[in-house]
Amino acid sequence: MIVLGVILLIIGLLTGIAILWTIGIVLLVIGAVLWALGAAGHAVAGRRHFY
């Protein structure tokens, strides 16, 4: 999700389409939050990891 956000940010910047820029920022923020939660050991989206 973070990679998709960065790609949309770049495309939005190059083409001047503001909605792509906005969607890219939103995906980047959501991806970063989910990544941080997963790295902290919390279950994300109901996934359980058995070690």
Side-chain angles (χ1 to χ4, degrees):
M1 191 173 295
I2 294 173
V3 174
L4 182 61
V6 170
I7 290 171
L8 287 176
L9 279 173
I10 293 171
I11 292 173
L13 180 67
L14 294 177
T15 60
I17 301 174
I19 191 71
L20 289 180
W21 181 259
T22 304
I23 293 171
I25 291 173
V26 169
L27 286 178
L28 193 64
V29 169
I30 292 173
V33 168
L34 290 176
W35 173 73
L37 286 174
H42 294 280
V44 178
R47 295 183 183 175
R48 295 183 189 159
H49 299 285
F50 298 104
Y51 295 102

